[in-house]
Amino acid sequence: MQPVEDGDVPRRGRPRRFSSHTERQILLDAAVRVMSENGYDGISVNDVLEDAGLSTRAFYRQFDSKHELLMALIQRERDRVAYHLEKAAKSADGPLAAVEAWIDAFLDLLYNPEIAPTTAIFTAPSVLASYTLATSLPEMQRMFCPPLIRALRAGHRAGVLESPRPEADAYCIHALVHAALDVHHRPRPKRATVKAQVLRFVWPALGIRRRGHKS
């Protein structure tokens, strides 16, 4: 439990139990739990407050509406995904390994048991219908592709892959992986099958003929 931060003045002179940041995170975490059980259409502000153990006043200190809460959830989820992709590529040994690590990290969204349940919440039809404009492909590329762009640029400069236009190449790879991961495809193919399909296009496009070759 965090104390109230300096400058976080309670409204109407009533003390808060949490700082504004902590209060917001508690509400967001509660919303995810409720959505995992009821879906987006099935939750209400009261559901979220009951799970969070907070008051109506606490909710409206942070959000103007249920829709604004969803937008905040989406932003937090996109930040989480972007961090996961960045961390995977950064820890790889060399540009080619970084490209493959980025692809693997993207596959984690549906196949890693620690990540996939949250992905499922935000790719449910009722949720997708509520934020389609907020998750356009160009916006996702802007957030998710920078570590891939850096890996492609570094690999091209080092002569270990061909990517004279790393940004365009990264966006194509992202679109390919995104399509291969079609969240509504049933039955879902095995992870190894999806990865092999993606790499069958990616490696030749980058001038790499031997699958599994690393710098």
Side-chain angles (χ1 to χ4, degrees):
M1 185 181 297
Q2 287 186 324
V4 174
E5 297 169 350
D6 291 342
D8 188 11
V9 180
R11 294 184 181 181
R12 300 184 182 179
R14 302 184 66 178
R16 295 182 184 175
R17 294 190 304 164
F18 305 102
S19 71
S20 179
H21 173 77
T22 301
E23 182 177 78
R24 186 179 183 88
Q25 296 309 309
I26 290 172
L27 289 166
L28 292 172
D29 290 341
V32 170
R33 288 191 293 270
V34 174
M35 285 173 64
S36 69
E37 296 180 2
N38 304 333
Y40 176 66
D41 289 339
I43 72 169
S44 67
V45 171
N46 286 338
D47 293 329
V48 175
L49 291 174
E50 182 177 354
D51 187 281
L54 295 176
S55 66
T56 302
R57 181 174 296 175
F59 182 90
Y60 288 106
R61 275 197 293 261
Q62 302 296 336
F63 309 105
D64 290 333
S65 64
K66 173 183 165 181
H67 180 72
E68 186 174 310
L69 169 66
L70 178 62
M71 294 301 102
L73 284 169
I74 293 165
Q75 184 59 53
R76 190 175 74 163
E77 176 64 8
R78 291 191 301 192
D79 289 343
R80 181 181 70 89
V81 171
Y83 174 78
H84 181 66
L85 296 169
E86 177 76 35
K87 182 179 179 181
K90 190 174 182 179
S91 63
D93 182 19
L96 296 189
V99 171
E100 187 166 355
W102 186 94
I103 292 171
D104 271 322
F106 211 107
L107 294 177
D108 281 343
L109 300 181
L110 287 191
Y111 290 99
N112 186 320
E114 296 182 1
I115 297 174
T118 304
T119 303
I121 294 171
F122 289 96
T123 54
S126 61
V127 179
L128 287 174
S130 301
Y131 69 84
T132 300
L133 293 178
T135 56
S136 63
L137 187 59
E139 177 64 14
M140 287 191 290
Q141 289 172 335
R142 183 188 67 79
M143 292 195 67
F144 300 157
C145 288
L148 181 57
I149 293 170
R150 288 194 292 271
L152 293 172
R153 182 176 292 117
H156 185 75
R157 288 174 176 171
V160 297
L161 58 81
E162 297 174 9
S163 184
R165 299 179 60 204
E167 184 172 294
D169 290 343
Y171 289 176
C172 286
I173 293 171
H174 173 269
L176 175 63
V177 180
H178 192 268
L181 279 178
D182 183 358
V183 295
H184 302 301
H185 181 74
R186 295 292 184 275
R188 181 171 297 158
K190 292 181 179 180
R191 177 177 182 142
T193 301
V194 175
K195 181 178 177 180
Q197 178 72 6
V198 169
L199 293 182
R200 188 167 72 87
F201 288 91
V202 170
W203 288 152
L206 297 177
I208 300 163
R209 303 304 170 189
R210 286 194 300 116
R211 181 169 173 253
H213 173 74
K214 292 185 171 120
S215 60

